[in-house]
Amino acid sequence: MALVAGIDSSTQSCKVVIRDAASGALARQGTAPHPPGTEIDPEHWWTALLTAVERAGGLGDVAAVSVAAQQHGMIVLDRDGRVIRPALLWNDTRSAPAADDLVADLGAERWAAAVGLVPVASFTVTKLRWLADHEPDAAGRIAAVALPHDWLTWRLSGARSLDTLRTDRSDASGTGYFDAAGGTSGAYRRDLLALALRREPGDVERIVLPTVAGPEDTVGRGDTANGWGHLLLGPGCGDNAGAALGLDLQPGEAFMSLGTSGVVAAVATAATRDATGSVAGFADATGHHLPLACTLNASRVLDATAALLGVDHDELSRLALSARPGAARLVFVPYLEGERTPNLPTATGSLHGLTPASMTPANLARAAVEGVLCLLAGCLDALRAQGVRVDRVTLVGGGARSPAVQDIAPAILGLPVTVPAPGEYVADGAARQAATALARANGVAPPSWPHAEAVTRTAEPLPSVLDRYREVAATVAAIESRCG
């Protein structure tokens, strides 16, 4: 049987899954940690990839591989292909003032019209502006700019020439200098790259940007020096697109990730161009779009509430489910570390509606769960405001394992909620892409893998809970505006 590998190079670790190309059955897997920090030498990712591959039994019997990775990280290379400085990751916020400057340079409306997003500190374009302003000598040596998945795929191929750098629409769409809706496969905006680097457009024409491959393309073969000459390389993708592909989401379906932060992304057939910046107009890994909204707070709210009550997560969930919907009108606005959606970076969390009746552990637990879900419902509202259809939500991430979250989510969101078994869905998406690229290279139809085991939950909607939260959150926003 033919085997394919999917690699997920995330912020925290590298995970490798090896699956049967025809059926998707898991054959083996391996993982290796990444060092902490927001500024990392990419060589650490390569070392972790090699370790994870070894722990997964190697690639000797694998026919094709694709890499999915954390988005937005800035890797700048000199003309010899050497990394000029450590990569700045998506979560490195030193570029926040640069983001403000770029928005001021062009205006939010023009940014959204050009590339479907408005610069914030996480996007690559802002990191390039920071580099131009703070390390001009390094910026002057740039011969190529790559993202983490681009660079790792390039290393798998042997990294022989900058001209062999490859990427895909999903990852390129998060740079801030790529229009995912332009042409058949999107188009780079070198004028915006020049703006970021404070150069004239003609001065960046020689900077190599990875060629954008189609979602079913083969982009090369593995490095013969490592014994990988038999490996076909898929185009790879960004991590959110990898998750959507691993979950086999279709237009009208969204995933909601409850990690430390929250992410809501939906597969859509049309591009979004949100000048408010709430929705980033990313692409997916199949040729569609993946508009995305995120929050700074999600499972950390549940962690903090459990710690405050002195209970574990199982007991927090039991307490939340023992309280009545609405938590006796106690509302937890969970901006514990500021917030991104809505954009209130200096806000703090707050409890509203404290009365003798509402001040119970059960009501606080319930209010925490409802607060997180109402916050993420705001991301769904932002997507819908851009014309994105959402008919179903799939819950993933650590916070999605909470029985209270699973039970309450469909009532708050007013949608069916699917909860798949815990899995490595980003790596699985990369493996699915590798299987498709292998099939196309062999002139046959892509395989149809079964859906992951999942439970779909429904509930009677509770619009009163969401309305009460929105009322209180609007009051918080008004106070922040007056104090800001």
Side-chain angles (χ1 to χ4, degrees):
M1 65 178 180
L3 296 175
V4 294
I7 297 173
D8 170 18
S9 181
S10 70
T11 312
Q12 295 85 12
S13 65
C14 182
K15 308 173 191 74
V16 177
V17 300
I18 296 176
R19 292 187 173 273
D20 179 84
S23 69
L26 181 65
R28 54 188 193 264
Q29 57 189 322
T31 185
H34 287 158
T38 64
E39 181 180 41
I40 302 292
D41 182 347
E43 199 64 30
H44 289 301
W45 300 332
W46 179 244
T47 300
L49 185 151
L50 294 176
T51 300
V53 163
E54 182 180 5
R55 291 174 178 173
L59 300 175
D61 57 349
V62 173
V65 61
S66 282
V67 179
Q70 56 180 302
Q71 291 186 257
H72 314 308
M74 180 194 74
I75 302 176
V76 286
L77 306 173
D78 67 16
R79 62 184 181 181
D80 296 317
R82 292 188 295 259
V83 175
I84 293 172
R85 68 164 334 277
L88 295 183
L89 307 193
W90 64 273
N91 55 353
D92 192 296
T93 59
R94 74 185 74 181
S95 55
D100 293 339
D101 290 346
L102 286 167
V103 175
D105 288 345
L106 201 61
E109 292 81 5
R110 290 177 65 188
W111 275 105
V115 291
L117 52 81
V118 178
V120 294
S122 58
F123 298 154
T124 322
V125 69
T126 69
K127 301 177 190 307
L128 289 169
R129 169 58 70 88
W130 179 89
L131 189 69
D133 287 347
H134 294 270
E135 298 179 4
D137 291 343
R141 294 169 54 205
I142 295 175
V145 184
L147 301 169
H149 116 251
D150 312 342
W151 186 81
L152 289 169
T153 302
W154 188 58
R155 290 296 302 269
L156 284 168
S157 75
R160 290 177 176 80
S161 166
L162 294 178
D163 293 334
T164 61
L165 280 163
R166 298 291 184 268
T167 192
D168 85 311
R169 285 174 67 250
S170 73
D171 222 2
S173 67
T175 60
Y177 47 85
F178 180 84
D179 179 12
T184 57
S185 60
Y188 283 115
R189 291 291 303 265
R190 286 184 177 269
D191 57 326
L192 301 180
L193 177 67
L195 179 69
L197 291 171
R198 297 193 185 277
R199 300 190 197 177
E200 294 299 320
D203 294 339
V204 300
E205 286 301 317
R206 292 190 177 182
I207 292 179
V208 174
L209 299 176
T211 300
V212 180
E216 299 181 352
D217 287 351
T218 298
V219 300
R221 285 192 173 271
D223 185 7
T224 56
N226 279 329
W228 296 334
H230 63 287
L231 270 179
L232 291 179
L233 302 178
C237 56
D239 54 359
N240 290 304
L245 188 58
L247 293 165
D248 196 24
L249 299 186
Q250 303 300 313
E253 297 178 339
F255 73 80
M256 181 177 285
S257 176
L258 281 76
T260 303
S261 56
V263 173
V264 180
V267 179
T269 56
T272 59
R273 300 189 183 277
D274 181 14
T276 72
S278 296
V279 175
F282 298 153
D284 81 345
T286 71
H288 291 310
H289 296 270
L290 193 71
L292 179 149
C294 63
T295 66
L296 295 181
N297 299 280
S299 64
R300 73 177 75 199
V301 178
L302 306 182
D303 295 342
T305 306
L308 177 64
L309 294 174
V311 299
D312 62 17
H313 279 279
D314 288 340
E315 179 62 11
L316 181 74
S317 188
R318 190 198 67 77
L319 284 168
L321 291 173
S322 72
R324 292 183 59 80
R329 295 183 61 80
L330 182 65
V331 175
F332 189 168
V333 181
Y335 305 158
L336 298 190
E337 297 197 38
E339 192 42 71
R340 173 75 181 86
T341 306
N343 188 23
L344 298 170
T346 62
T348 56
S350 52
L351 279 170
H352 299 255
L354 288 165
T355 66
S358 69
M359 292 176 64
T360 68
N363 282 328
L364 178 57
R366 178 90 189 197
V369 174
E370 290 181 345
V372 169
L373 290 169
C374 287
L375 177 63
L376 291 168
C379 292
L380 283 176
D381 291 342
L383 292 175
R384 288 175 174 137
Q386 295 301 308
V388 178
R389 189 181 98 245
V390 180
D391 303 322
R392 179 182 296 273
V393 169
T394 296
L395 283 181
V396 295
R401 298 174 188 173
S402 161
V405 169
Q406 296 176 14
D407 194 68
I408 297 169
I412 298 296
L413 304 178
L415 291 169
V417 170
T418 298
V419 184
E424 301 296 347
Y425 290 106
V426 175
D428 288 344
R432 184 188 291 266
Q433 185 190 70
T436 298
L438 177 64
R440 292 302 190 197
N442 290 334
V444 299
S448 178
W449 288 3
H451 287 88
E453 180 183 344
V455 174
T456 298
R457 296 176 180 269
T458 59
E460 192 69 27
L462 291 171
S464 61
V465 175
L466 189 54
D467 289 345
R468 166 84 172 141
Y469 175 89
R470 287 169 173 160
E471 176 187 341
V472 173
T475 300
V476 171
I479 294 171
E480 283 293 316
S481 177
R482 289 198 297 270
C483 297

